[in-house]
Structures are given as C-alpha cells and as structure tokens.
Amino acid sequence: MILPWTDHPGEFLVFRTAARRRALVLALAVLGTTSLAACTAGSGQDGNRPGTRAVADPATRPDLRRFYGQKLHWRPCGDFRCATLTVPRDYDRPGDGETFALPVAKAATAVPGKRLGSLVLNPGGPGESGVRLLEDGVADDIGKGVRARFDIVSFDPRGVGGSKPALTCLADDRTGDEAHEAPLYPRTDAERADVLSDARATAAACRRASGPLLPHVGTDDAARDMDVLRAALGERRLTYVGWSYGTSLGTSYAEQFPRRVRAMVLDGAVDPSLDWRQRVLNQSTGFRDAVEEYADSCADVVGEACPGTTPGEIRALVDRLLDRTRREPLPVDGSGEGLDAAGLVSALSLSMYTPEAQWEGLSEALRAADGGDGTKLAALAAGDEDATDTDTDTDADTDAGPAASEGPTDDVPEDNGDAALMAVDCLDVPHPRGAQAYWDALAPADKAAGVYGTSGVTSELVCEDWPAGARRPHRVHAPGVPPVLVVGTTGDPATPYQEAVSLARQFPGGMLLSFEAPGHTGYGRDACVDEKVEEYLVSLTKVRPGTRCAP
C-alpha cells in the first residue's frame, strides 16, 4: 500500500506480470495482489484460532521459550534505535535451527515520563518495509499526544526488506523473443497461452530463487512473529496500527492472540471472508471508480493543470490513450520498450492512492502522453522512487539462540516488495489450479470494471502454479478481543469501503470510522480522522457508531 508519508513503491519490475499485479493490487498497497492477503485460520496449534480451542500460551512452550525470552539489543541507527528480532522459520519445528532475523526500528517517546508502551506499525503491501516507514518520517507525522505516550516501533516482516533471509524472484532465462506482450483482455487461445506461459515462468523463477522460503512467509506466521516482538519489547499487550495489508496482519494477530490486544487500528481494511474472485472484482471496480472520480473532480483538486476542461474531455483522453497503447507503445526516454496499455493502466491505478499529492502529476503525464511522450506515465507506473540509502544495521546479535539461517540466494534487491507481494498473496489466498477458472472470470470482470477487471484476473494467474497454503476465506473469530477500530475511506480504490464496513461488523465490539474522501486509507491524511484514532490509541476512547470525517 502507499501511505501519505511515503514515496511510491517500486522500480520497473523484472516481470511484466508482476508490474501489472503491483499496480492493481498493492498490497497496501497494497500497493499490493489483485487481492491483498486475507487473514484466515492457520493450521498451527497455538493461540485462539478459529475452530479450535484455546491452548497453552506459546510463550511457555519449551521449544519457543528462547524466542519469546530474547532481549532486543538497541543501538543507534541514524535518528532511531535499531535491533534484530530472531524468529523460527517454521513454528511447527522451531528447534530445527532455521530462522529469520527481522530488523526492528524504534523512535523513542518524546516524553519518557509519560510513556504508556510501544506502538507497533505495519505499512502494508504485503512487502513494504516497516524500517523504511520510520526512515521516511512516519513518526514525525503522528500526533504529539501519541508521540508523548508511545515508542513508535516497526519491523520488516519475514522475507521482506532487510529480513535475513529475504525473498527474491530472479529473472527467468527466456530471451526477449520468448517473453510476450500480454493483452489487457486475452481472448484468443494464442493470447491466453502466452499469458499463462508468462505467469508460470514468473512463478518458476520465484521458486528457483526462494523456494525454501515460500511456504513460510504467510500472514499467520508474520502475526506470530509480531507476538514474539511484543514479548521482546516487554509489552503485556499489543498496541497496533496497520494500513491496507497491515489490516490482514492485525486481524490474524487478533484471531490468534485476542487477549493480548490492547488497542488495534485497521485502516484500509481487507475483508477475510472474500475469495480470490470477489477480491479481484472489488478492487478492480474500486480502481475504475477512482479513475472516474479523477475525471469528475480533477478541476476541484488541481485546477488548470487538468488534461481537459470537462470530465468528458478527460475520459476521452484516457480512452484515446488506451486505444493508442494497445496498438503501439508510447515512446519512453531511455527505454526501448515504451509504455504499453498495461503500463498506462498501472500509472492510472497507482495515481489513485493520494489524490491531493498525485493527481497533478498524473494530469501532466497524461498531457505529455497525448502529445506522444510516455516518459512521465512510465515513471508513474514504476512508482518514480529513487533507491533509499539506509544506515540500519540488521546484523546485531540477539539472545534467541542460533543466528539467522542463510537464504537460498544472496542476490536480493534492495526493495523486494514485488516478490513478497506475490508470495504472500498466493500463499494466503486460495487460488484455482488450472487456467480455466481464470478464463471464466474474465467476462464478468470486464463487465464489472473493464480493463481494470480483466487485468486484475490475469495478474492472479501467477498463483495458479504456486505453492499453496492452508488458509480459507472466513469471518473473523476473535472471542475476547477488545474493541477494534476500523477506518474506511469511502473512495478507497485499493481496499474498497464496503470491506471496512464488513470487517468492523465481524469483530466483536468492532468500531467503524468513515472518512468521506477519495484515496487509500485515512489516518495521516485528515485531522478529524487523526484525532479520533489518537484518542483511541492513548485513552481507549470508543468511536461512536456512525462517526464520519470529511476533509
């Protein structure tokens, strides 16, 4: 997902399939998915999981005691304090010596004498780095009342960012002639064969590079890591904010450890009861509607910078560019490939997250593209992000026993969010085996959301040939959890508002705070939302039913 405080994700992606996935999924966002990972029941035996009886505290298990008993050794790292958390790679076999070492960063409370504890953040994705979230300044944007009472803590989830080992998906060995220009709506047998071949090649390359890690990067395991982090921070109960996919992580934690939650804010909610096809339709319809809203509201947001004087002119421009890029890519400075229709859809989708910050740049890019230059749109499709230097050292020792295991490859990019997004989505969300189910979904997706829908369906094909997890869609089961605050933005393209409504209803005592605006997520974008969220985090003040905020 994309937060208001962070840069946009990604370089140009290694795989065309991955590029289209990230734009239409994100995963929170989301970015990232056409589906963000669901939070469903895991297959382990610890915690209060749906359909199982509550069992002994995993912290008391002899084979987990060394992980739960570790102490974080904080050291300076720029403006923050950093440490490393060691967690078992496989919670069913924690004594096998295979581990992840997860970087953790902390911005200490501004008023130590008033400290309530630690506030743990997750920026979403799946695949976004929590350490980078702090480096990008999130702590400075959190209200003074919260900063006075909490240390702000975040971490890189297993397989993500500075995690050791980390996921990667290396390029396959096919030549340029063997790779295919994927249509937005594959209709013929030949087009579908090409799309399926590309998706399977992507999955195969990920298995070659990260195969041993793929079964162990799901959301349930990441939530268990967060409980180990809670213990290592010295907290009896968890105070948590998760954006986008971070709501899936938070929901999984609440289901496994409901009585260890102090306060939980889930912003940009993912409904765990939806299957893969429902998620595709929900999110792709959200992006289509957001682009329509851009046409309608561009003048109100960016004024004369709009690429048309009326909504009709803007829609006509977008349609004209779609037709043009389907026939031939637009020239892009420094690129021999240019911007095709998939890249255009990516640029449009990624520009819907924070209208107040992105619509002016999108408008300029569309004007340039109408004149024949796709360079600015290509930059938007890539995320327009420069590599971020980090002075965070993730190699410090911990007290958890064995050092982190070596990964299957050392060739891991600085930002491996694309690989993580695919790995978590495919593991968490059950997908059909065999391509026919995806072809059957194309026509309904086209009817519901046009090119956003069909692109969403084909982007899921990579999961058709991926190691499967045991999770299933279900309604939240978290008996004993305190009231959870769900924030829903009415015009959210990546995590549509109706999913926030549904998730709030599924939690016992769940509270819904509605933000009446376009864009992805609400906390950090609006003073009214910030006030309600922060009163809840500090004082556990409940949000009344029907509470709404508007910019």
Side-chain angles (χ1 to χ4, degrees):
M1 53 93 55
I2 299 175
L3 289 177
W5 315 286
T6 64
D7 295 330
H8 305 158
E11 304 287 335
F12 277 105
L13 309 185
V14 173
F15 302 111
R16 186 174 303 278
T17 301
R20 294 167 66 193
R21 269 182 80 73
R22 187 158 200 180
L24 296 173
V25 181
L26 280 177
L28 33 212
V30 354
L31 313 350
T33 106
T34 284
S35 62
L36 296 170
C39 24
T40 60
S43 58
Q45 299 300 314
D46 297 324
N48 298 330
R49 298 196 176 190
T52 66
R53 294 170 55 192
V55 297
D57 187 338
T60 66
R61 272 178 47 177
D63 54 357
L64 289 177
R65 193 171 296 152
R66 59 179 175 157
F67 297 102
Y68 270 91
Q70 68 186 291
K71 303 297 182 184
L72 294 174
H73 296 296
W74 297 105
R75 62 199 179 279
C77 55
D79 295 331
F80 309 106
R81 306 286 292 175
C82 292
T84 302
L85 181 78
T86 302
V87 295
R89 188 178 299 186
D90 186 345
Y91 275 94
D92 290 333
R93 297 188 301 166
D96 66 2
E98 299 291 325
T99 61
F100 285 98
L102 308 181
V104 182
K106 174 177 71 173
T109 175
V111 188
K114 293 186 177 181
R115 182 182 182 277
L116 285 175
S118 299
L119 170 61
V120 176
L121 310 179
N122 179 271
E128 293 299 314
S129 163
V131 171
R132 182 173 294 181
L133 177 72
L134 289 190
E135 292 172 346
D136 285 344
V138 68
D140 295 333
D141 291 290
I142 289 176
K144 292 181 179 179
V146 172
R147 289 289 289 114
R149 308 306 296 273
F150 293 97
D151 297 333
I152 309 301
V153 177
S154 197
F155 66 104
D156 287 359
R158 52 175 52 210
V160 172
S163 164
K164 295 183 181 296
L167 290 160
T168 186
C169 290
L170 300 178
D172 58 66
D173 297 328
R174 295 177 302 162
T175 67
D177 292 336
E178 292 172 310
H180 307 105
E181 190 74 30
L184 294 174
Y185 188 165
R187 299 175 185 271
T188 68
D189 289 344
E191 288 177 336
R192 292 180 177 185
D194 286 348
V195 170
L196 183 59
S197 173
D198 286 346
R200 287 178 172 174
T202 297
C206 291
R207 284 196 300 271
R208 286 197 302 272
S210 298
L213 303 183
L214 297 182
H216 302 295
V217 295
T219 299
D220 279 340
D221 282 335
R224 297 185 73 171
D225 296 343
M226 198 155 62
D227 197 54
V228 176
L229 175 61
R230 172 202 58 78
L233 290 169
E235 303 295 344
R236 188 172 65 87
R237 293 192 296 164
L238 178 72
T239 303
Y240 175 79
V241 174
W243 290 271
S244 199
Y245 163 78
T247 68
S248 288
L249 183 61
T251 301
S252 180
Y253 185 92
E255 290 188 307
Q256 295 184 71
F257 310 104
R259 290 175 176 83
R260 291 196 193 139
V261 175
R262 175 189 170 272
M264 181 170 284
V265 177
L266 306 178
D267 184 2
V270 179
D271 183 351
S273 69
L274 304 180
D275 64 23
W276 78 274
R277 186 164 164 169
Q278 291 169 317
R279 293 173 185 283
V280 168
L281 292 177
N282 266 14
Q283 193 175 62
S284 56
T285 301
F287 279 114
R288 181 208 61 191
D289 291 348
V291 175
E292 290 292 309
E293 178 65 20
Y294 162 70
D296 288 336
S297 303
C298 180
D300 295 333
V301 177
V302 302
E304 294 182 359
C306 292
T309 58
T310 67
E313 287 185 7
I314 296 174
R315 291 188 180 93
L317 169 58
V318 171
D319 290 342
R320 186 162 65 247
L321 289 174
L322 279 170
D323 290 340
R324 182 173 178 178
T325 52
R326 280 191 181 105
R327 295 192 302 270
E328 183 179 4
L330 288 172
V332 173
D333 291 346
S335 170
E337 294 185 355
L339 180 85
D340 62 8
L344 173 59
V345 171
S346 296
L348 289 166
S349 300
L350 283 171
S351 299
M352 296 298 111
Y353 282 76
T354 49
E356 62 272 24
Q358 295 178 287
W359 280 5
E360 184 171 356
L362 173 63
S363 298
E364 294 173 356
L366 288 172
R367 282 185 183 275
D370 199 34
D373 184 358
T375 305
K376 290 183 178 180
L377 281 177
L380 294 178
D384 197 22
E385 180 186 44
D386 294 327
T388 301
D389 294 330
T390 174
D391 52 10
T392 302
D393 178 9
T394 61
D395 294 328
D397 294 331
T398 72
D399 296 335
S405 313
E406 291 299 320
T409 176
D410 292 328
D411 190 14
V412 178
E414 182 179 356
D415 179 359
N416 69 339
D418 310 308
L421 183 142
M422 284 190 290
V424 176
D425 183 36
C426 293
L427 187 66
D428 276 4
V429 181
H431 283 76
R433 297 296 186 186
Q436 189 58 47
Y438 301 87
W439 309 144
D440 291 343
L442 282 170
D446 180 53
K447 182 178 181 180
V451 294
Y452 305 94
T454 56
S455 295
V457 170
T458 56
S459 73
E460 295 296 303
L461 269 169
V462 71
C463 298
E464 180 262 352
D465 192 32
W466 197 278
R471 313 175 92 203
R472 295 294 180 269
H474 80 288
R475 293 183 64 81
V476 173
H477 184 80
V481 72
V484 169
L485 176 58
V486 179
V487 181
T489 301
T490 56
D492 195 322
T495 52
Y497 175 70
Q498 63 266 29
E499 296 195 34
V501 175
S502 176
L503 185 63
R505 289 172 177 168
Q506 292 176 47
F507 273 104
M511 303 174 292
L512 176 66
L513 173 60
S514 299
F515 178 40
E516 296 178 333
H520 185 41
T521 72
Y523 181 41
R525 293 179 58 204
D526 178 75
C528 171
V529 174
D530 294 354
E531 178 183 10
K532 301 296 183 186
V533 167
E534 293 174 358
E535 286 178 352
Y536 165 71
L537 289 172
V538 173
S539 303
L540 303 180
T541 303
K542 292 184 178 181
V543 173
R544 293 182 179 180
T547 299
R548 307 182 79 85
C549 292

